Amino acid sequence: MNDTTSSIVHDAPVRTEPGDMVWGSDAIAAVLRTLDIPYIALNPGPSYRGLHDSIVNYLGNRTPQMILCLHDEHAVSIAQGYCKASDRMMAAALHSNVGLMHATMPIFNSWCDRTPILIIGATGAWDAEKRRPWIEWIHTCSDQAQLIRNYTKWDNQPGSVQATTEALLRAAQIARTAPCGPVYVNLDIAIQEQELETLPPMPDVERYAAPKPAQPSSDLVAEAARLLSNARNPVMLAGRCSRSIDAWRARIALAEKLNIPVLTHVKLAAAFPTDHRLHAAPPGNRLTGEAKKLIAGADVILSLDWLDLGGALKQAFGSDTVTSKIIQVSCDAHSHRGWSMDYHILPPVDVYLMCDPDAAVPVLLDAVQGRASKAATNVASKKMPEPEATLTLAGVAHALEGTTRGIDRCITRLPLGWHGAYAHFRHPLDYIGFDGGGGVGAGPGITVGAALALKGSGRVAIGLCGDGDFLMGNTAVWTAAHYGIPCLMIVCNNRSYFNDELHQERVAVARGRPAQNRWIGQRISDPDIDIAGMARAQGAIAIGPVTTLQDMHKAMAQALASVAEGNVCVIDARVLPGYDAE
């Protein structure tokens, strides 16, 4: 078992002398340690006061170590960011029904992002005779997990200490089995505070581990290999893939052996080097014109768990029949449910490998025959025009690229309107993708979680948040400052919910109404918000507002030096409104 909590500030408790009594929550905490849960992010609440005491006074606040958050949403977002950067699950604790209701959005994010999180909930005593008046009544509800059952993989409210052990083992196993996702175990306060004669024996967690990835059928692999080897104009869509460097190299090797153009998605983590000669178009929120043309002209399409494959085919082919042979490598259908439409458009598929891409790529690499083909033109490597003196998103990108050259970085967030050619990703940790569910406010928490996972690695976590995203989630800054988790947040501040301004303009134009009214109910100004002041008040180094390209370069250099010294830094970059992405 690795003690990974040693690298951050430790809120060390006063030493507790061993006693004769143990409690139900001691056993629950011991199971969390056995599962090797490194951290548990939380906003405190009395519904899990027993577990809280056990983590502090029984475990010494180590494995898991508490990560105190100022909002329940941050607890889940930090856990999501941690896993996105490490491929390792941590826990989040939510106080009764009210904490769970606060955190429903980031739970949905992690569901759509297929991120495993062990969420610990709690409730007042199910036995009404044991409930404290008023507060434990309003914080107890029938079937609490129903609030999130449509976007979690599994939930349980165990009725005994022994049942809780099994529930945690099962939850961890299910969460970590592909397609991964959040799980919820709700703890009765009475079970936590039950006195035990002895601590139950701890399970051998290796016997309850998640199964190894399923391997694809040899017949299907052979058919996929035949199609790819004989293709005239194939294309690879590199979608949801792990942070494994070996899997990254296997994807590159497969692409090079087949001489196949590759597309990636800006909503997803880096899956292929964007400056490779075979990376054919800049990753974007939507398919670029080059990408649509490439897909429409392909005779064979290899989808490695592409996000919304059916939607991509519809963008490329329109209402025409999809003539390409489609090879789908994905086990995501195991998580498709009736409530949420995050399964997207149903794509036509000719060869369906129902497995994780990391399992399929090595066997495909062995099975395919090399293809001779003219070298692909890497449109993504073309230089963007020089940015203007007044700060824009392009200017932020210019400063970012200029000042981080030679530095290992992990971009944890990108704002809407970012052009895929602004920055290159050459390592699976260079970029960890969007939040999954499209909920505004997760950027700061995800950045802190990723920075926690990367602390001590030499890689700098950099989140580029919109101002709306930062303002909703900015108190995650305090958590990073408190625990000494260095990271950089660049707030691309256009003083507006600009995406919605564009929507309002389209509606007004379609209805023959004045488009100049689009700003009403959208602009974040009059007064302007002192974003740097908000960050500074929470213990961060703050810079800004920055309004020119020249000053942005200076701010970035100052910020990176500050982060290298172990600080949290926030830059208020006052960018002109506008989107450069297609």
Side-chain angles (χ1 to χ4, degrees):
M1 186 181 301
N2 298 319
D3 182 7
T4 59
T5 63
S6 60
S7 64
I8 70 164
V9 171
H10 177 218
D11 293 337
V14 174
R15 179 178 172 81
T16 304
E17 296 300 325
D20 296 331
M21 294 187 297
V22 291
W23 308 91
S25 57
D26 293 343
I28 296 168
V31 173
L32 293 177
R33 171 168 286 177
T34 304
L35 287 168
D36 199 19
I37 301 296
Y39 303 104
I40 182 167
L42 55 84
N43 183 262
S47 64
Y48 60 84
R49 63 189 185 186
L51 179 62
H52 193 124
D53 171 79
S54 295
I55 292 173
V56 172
N57 291 314
Y58 185 71
L59 298 184
N61 196 25
R62 304 292 266 187
T63 319
Q65 177 182 340
M66 290 184 185
I67 304 295
L68 178 60
C69 304
L70 303 186
H71 198 288
D72 302 277
E73 285 199 19
H74 303 339
V76 178
S77 293
I78 286 172
Q80 182 186 2
Y82 181 87
C83 186
K84 284 169 74 69
S86 67
D87 276 339
R88 185 180 179 191
M89 184 175 71
M90 65 174 276
L94 303 173
H95 165 47
S96 72
N97 52 0
V98 289
L100 182 61
M101 286 187 275
H102 269 305
T104 52
M105 183 63 246
I107 293 172
F108 181 68
N109 278 339
S110 62
W111 165 260
C112 293
D113 201 35
R114 306 300 187 245
T115 305
I117 301 174
L118 177 58
I119 304 170
I120 305 295
T123 179
W126 193 244
D127 182 348
E129 287 297 313
K130 297 180 180 179
R131 286 183 210 143
R132 291 183 294 150
W134 187 69
I135 189 64
E136 283 189 1
W137 285 78
I138 63 171
H139 285 175
T140 301
C141 60
S142 179
D143 194 12
Q144 185 168 295
Q146 186 181 24
L147 289 165
I148 55 170
R149 185 164 296 136
N150 286 310
Y151 42 98
T152 49
K153 286 192 72 178
W154 185 77
D155 66 79
N156 191 247
Q157 184 173 315
S160 68
V161 172
Q162 292 78 8
T164 303
T165 295
E166 179 175 311
L168 291 171
L169 290 170
R170 189 188 303 272
Q173 184 183 76
I174 290 172
R176 291 163 166 161
T177 300
C180 298
V183 291
Y184 184 70
V185 178
N186 192 30
L187 305 178
D188 189 317
I189 193 172
I191 293 172
Q192 297 175 62
E193 299 183 9
Q194 175 186 348
E195 187 175 346
L196 305 177
E197 292 183 4
T198 59
L199 190 73
M202 288 295 102
D204 178 0
V205 294
E206 294 300 321
R207 302 185 71 185
Y208 304 95
K212 292 186 180 299
Q215 296 299 302
S217 158
S218 57
D219 291 344
L220 293 177
V221 169
E223 177 61 13
R226 184 188 67 80
L227 288 172
L228 289 166
S229 301
N230 297 325
R232 297 183 309 278
N233 297 304
V235 63
M236 178 194 295
L237 306 180
R240 284 184 283 223
C241 300
S242 74
R243 304 302 87 225
S244 163
I245 190 66
D246 289 337
W248 172 272
R249 289 168 179 157
R251 289 190 292 276
I252 296 172
L254 178 61
E256 290 178 344
K257 187 173 183 180
L258 289 170
N259 253 309
I260 185 173
V262 180
L263 297 174
T264 58
H265 203 310
V266 80
K267 287 189 174 72
L268 303 177
F272 194 86
T274 56
D275 58 353
H276 192 282
R277 67 177 179 85
L278 292 170
H279 193 277
N285 278 304
R286 300 176 183 85
L287 292 178
T288 62
E290 301 99 325
K292 291 177 188 177
K293 184 178 179 180
L294 190 67
I295 292 173
D299 58 338
V300 178
I301 297 173
L302 172 62
S303 166
L304 301 179
D305 202 10
W306 186 257
L307 180 64
D308 191 11
L309 174 59
L313 295 173
K314 185 173 182 178
Q315 288 181 65
F317 288 91
S319 58
D320 296 338
T321 300
V322 176
T323 54
S324 311
K325 291 290 186 181
I326 309 296
I327 303 168
Q328 171 73 308
V329 181
S330 174
C331 58
D332 197 61
H334 289 310
S335 285
H336 295 173
R337 312 272 278 276
W339 181 82
S340 172
M341 309 302 169
D342 63 284
Y343 44 71
H344 306 289
I345 297 171
L346 183 66
V349 173
D350 299 285
V351 181
Y352 199 153
L353 278 62
M354 177 64 84
C355 65
D356 190 83
D358 285 6
V361 168
V363 292
L364 284 173
L365 177 59
D366 290 339
V368 298
Q369 300 297 315
R371 289 178 65 258
S373 175
K374 63 181 181 180
T377 301
N378 185 344
V379 179
S381 68
K382 292 182 178 178
K383 289 185 177 181
M384 297 295 292
E386 287 296 311
E388 303 171 17
T390 304
L391 196 59
T392 61
L393 279 181
V396 171
H398 192 270
L400 177 69
E401 290 298 285
T403 54
T404 60
R405 193 170 292 116
I407 296 175
D408 286 337
R409 67 188 186 193
C410 175
I411 296 178
T412 63
R413 186 75 164 183
L414 287 174
L416 291 175
W418 185 267
H419 196 287
Y422 280 166
H424 284 303
F425 311 133
R426 303 178 176 96
H427 185 279
L429 281 173
D430 278 358
Y431 176 58
I432 61 172
F434 277 24
D435 51 51
V440 180
I446 287 175
T447 298
V448 174
L452 174 61
L454 296 169
K455 192 172 191 300
S457 69
R459 188 173 289 272
V460 181
I462 303 175
L464 293 96
C465 307
D467 47 327
D469 187 38
F470 181 80
L471 290 170
M472 288 190 191
N474 79 88
T475 51
V477 169
W478 180 88
T479 298
H482 175 74
Y483 291 102
I485 304 170
C487 56
L488 171 59
M489 298 183 198
I490 303 170
V491 184
C492 300
N493 180 8
N494 59 20
R495 283 84 67 208
S496 172
Y497 291 105
F498 187 70
N499 184 57
D500 290 285
E501 279 201 47
L502 298 183
H503 279 287
Q504 294 311 129
E505 179 177 349
R506 293 186 193 104
V507 171
V509 169
R511 296 178 176 181
R513 294 172 177 173
Q516 57 265 39
N517 290 332
R518 71 181 196 182
W519 66 274
I520 297 174
Q522 312 286 0
R523 296 282 172 88
I524 308 173
S525 60
D526 194 23
D528 282 356
I529 297 173
D530 185 359
I531 283 176
M534 295 174 76
R536 197 174 294 115
Q538 297 178 72
I541 304 297
I543 304 171
V546 180
T547 58
T548 68
L549 177 61
Q550 182 179 10
D551 287 345
M552 189 65 201
H553 278 271
K554 294 177 182 177
M556 278 294 304
Q558 179 185 342
L560 289 168
S562 179
V563 172
E565 294 173 354
N567 295 308
V568 182
C569 189
V570 176
I571 300 176
D572 179 5
R574 297 288 181 94
V575 297
L576 294 176
Y579 286 174
D580 296 325
E582 289 193 29

Coordinates of all heavy atoms in Angstrom, one line a residue, residues 59 130 143 196 223 236 259 264 315 323 340 347 351 372 377 397 424 433-434 438 455 482 561:
L59 N -7.5 6.6 12.3 CA -6.5 6.4 11.3 C -5.4 7.5 11.3 O -4.5 7.4 10.6 CB -7.2 6.5 9.9 CG -8.2 5.4 9.6 CD1 -8.7 5.6 8.1 CD2 -7.7 4.0 9.8
K130 N -34.1 6.7 17.2 CA -32.7 7.1 17.4 C -32.4 8.5 16.8 O -31.3 9.0 17.0 CB -31.7 6.1 16.9 CG -31.9 4.7 17.6 CD -30.9 3.7 17.0 CE -31.0 2.4 17.7 NZ -30.1 1.4 17.1
D143 N -35.0 6.5 0.6 CA -34.2 6.2 -0.6 C -33.4 7.5 -1.1 O -33.7 8.0 -2.2 CB -35.2 5.8 -1.7 CG -34.5 5.1 -2.9 OD1 -33.3 4.9 -2.8 OD2 -35.1 4.9 -3.9
L196 N -18.7 -1.6 19.1 CA -18.3 -3.0 18.8 C -17.4 -3.6 19.8 O -16.6 -2.9 20.5 CB -17.6 -3.0 17.4 CG -18.3 -2.3 16.2 CD1 -17.4 -2.4 15.0 CD2 -19.6 -3.0 15.9
E223 N -11.3 -9.6 -38.4 CA -12.1 -8.9 -39.4 C -11.8 -7.4 -39.4 O -11.6 -6.8 -40.4 CB -13.6 -9.1 -39.1 CG -14.6 -8.3 -40.0 CD -14.4 -8.7 -41.5 OE1 -13.8 -9.7 -41.8 OE2 -15.0 -7.9 -42.3
M236 N -8.7 7.1 -38.1 CA -8.8 6.7 -36.7 C -9.4 7.9 -35.9 O -8.9 9.0 -36.0 CB -7.5 6.3 -36.1 CG -7.5 5.9 -34.6 SD -5.9 5.8 -33.8 CE -5.2 4.4 -34.7
N259 N -0.4 3.9 -41.4 CA -0.4 5.2 -42.0 C -1.8 5.8 -42.1 O -2.3 6.2 -43.2 CB 0.2 5.0 -43.4 CG 1.6 5.6 -43.5 OD1 1.8 6.8 -43.1 ND2 2.5 4.8 -44.0
T264 N -8.6 13.8 -32.9 CA -8.9 13.7 -31.5 C -10.0 14.8 -31.1 O -10.3 15.6 -32.0 CB -7.6 14.0 -30.7 OG1 -7.1 15.3 -31.0 CG2 -6.6 12.9 -30.9
Q315 N -22.6 14.7 -38.7 CA -22.0 16.0 -39.1 C -21.2 15.8 -40.4 O -21.2 16.7 -41.3 CB -20.9 16.5 -38.0 CG -21.5 17.0 -36.7 CD -20.5 17.4 -35.8 OE1 -19.7 18.4 -36.0 NE2 -20.3 16.7 -34.7
T323 N -21.5 5.5 -45.8 CA -20.9 4.4 -46.7 C -19.7 3.8 -46.1 O -19.2 2.7 -46.6 CB -20.6 5.0 -48.1 OG1 -19.7 6.2 -47.9 CG2 -21.9 5.5 -48.8
S340 N -30.7 9.5 -18.9 CA -29.8 10.4 -19.5 C -29.5 10.0 -20.9 O -29.3 8.8 -21.2 CB -28.5 10.4 -18.7 OG -27.5 11.2 -19.4
P347 N -24.9 4.9 -33.6 CA -24.1 4.9 -34.9 C -24.3 3.5 -35.6 O -24.5 2.5 -34.9 CB -22.7 5.1 -34.4 CG -22.7 4.4 -33.0 CD -24.0 4.7 -32.4
V351 N -18.2 -3.7 -37.4 CA -17.4 -4.6 -36.5 C -17.4 -3.9 -35.1 O -16.9 -2.8 -35.0 CB -16.0 -4.8 -37.0 CG1 -15.2 -5.8 -36.1 CG2 -16.0 -5.3 -38.4
A372 N 1.2 1.1 -47.0 CA 1.9 2.2 -47.6 C 1.0 3.3 -48.1 O -0.1 3.0 -48.7 CB 2.7 1.7 -48.8
T377 N -1.2 15.2 -44.1 CA -0.9 16.6 -43.8 C -1.4 17.0 -42.5 O -2.6 16.9 -42.2 CB -1.5 17.5 -44.9 OG1 -1.0 17.1 -46.2 CG2 -1.1 18.9 -44.6
A397 N -3.2 32.1 -25.4 CA -2.5 30.9 -25.9 C -1.0 31.2 -26.3 O -0.1 30.4 -26.0 CB -3.3 30.4 -27.1
H424 N -0.3 22.3 -28.4 CA -0.1 20.9 -28.8 C 0.0 20.0 -27.5 O 0.5 20.4 -26.5 CB 1.1 20.8 -29.6 CG 1.0 21.2 -31.0 ND1 0.0 20.7 -31.8 CD2 1.6 22.2 -31.7 CE1 0.1 21.3 -33.0 NE2 1.0 22.2 -33.0
G433 N -8.9 17.0 -20.6 CA -10.3 17.0 -21.2 C -11.2 17.9 -20.4 O -10.9 18.5 -19.4
F434 N -12.5 18.0 -20.8 CA -13.5 18.8 -20.2 C -14.1 18.0 -19.0 O -13.7 16.9 -18.6 CB -14.6 19.1 -21.2 CG -14.3 20.3 -22.1 CD1 -13.0 20.7 -22.3 CD2 -15.3 21.0 -22.7 CE1 -12.7 21.8 -23.1 CE2 -15.0 22.1 -23.5 CZ -13.7 22.5 -23.7
G438 N -20.9 19.1 -19.0 CA -21.1 20.5 -19.4 C -21.7 21.4 -18.3 O -22.3 22.4 -18.6
K455 N 1.2 16.5 -7.8 CA 2.1 17.1 -6.9 C 3.4 16.3 -6.7 O 3.3 15.1 -6.4 CB 1.5 17.4 -5.5 CG 2.3 18.3 -4.7 CD 1.5 18.7 -3.4 CE 2.2 19.8 -2.6 NZ 3.6 19.5 -2.2
H482 N -4.7 25.9 1.2 CA -4.5 25.4 2.5 C -3.6 24.1 2.5 O -2.8 24.0 3.5 CB -5.9 25.0 3.0 CG -5.9 24.3 4.4 ND1 -5.7 24.9 5.5 CD2 -6.1 23.0 4.7 CE1 -5.7 24.0 6.5 NE2 -5.9 22.8 6.0
A561 N 6.7 31.0 -12.1 CA 7.8 31.1 -11.0 C 7.1 30.9 -9.7 O 7.7 30.2 -8.8 CB 8.5 32.4 -11.1

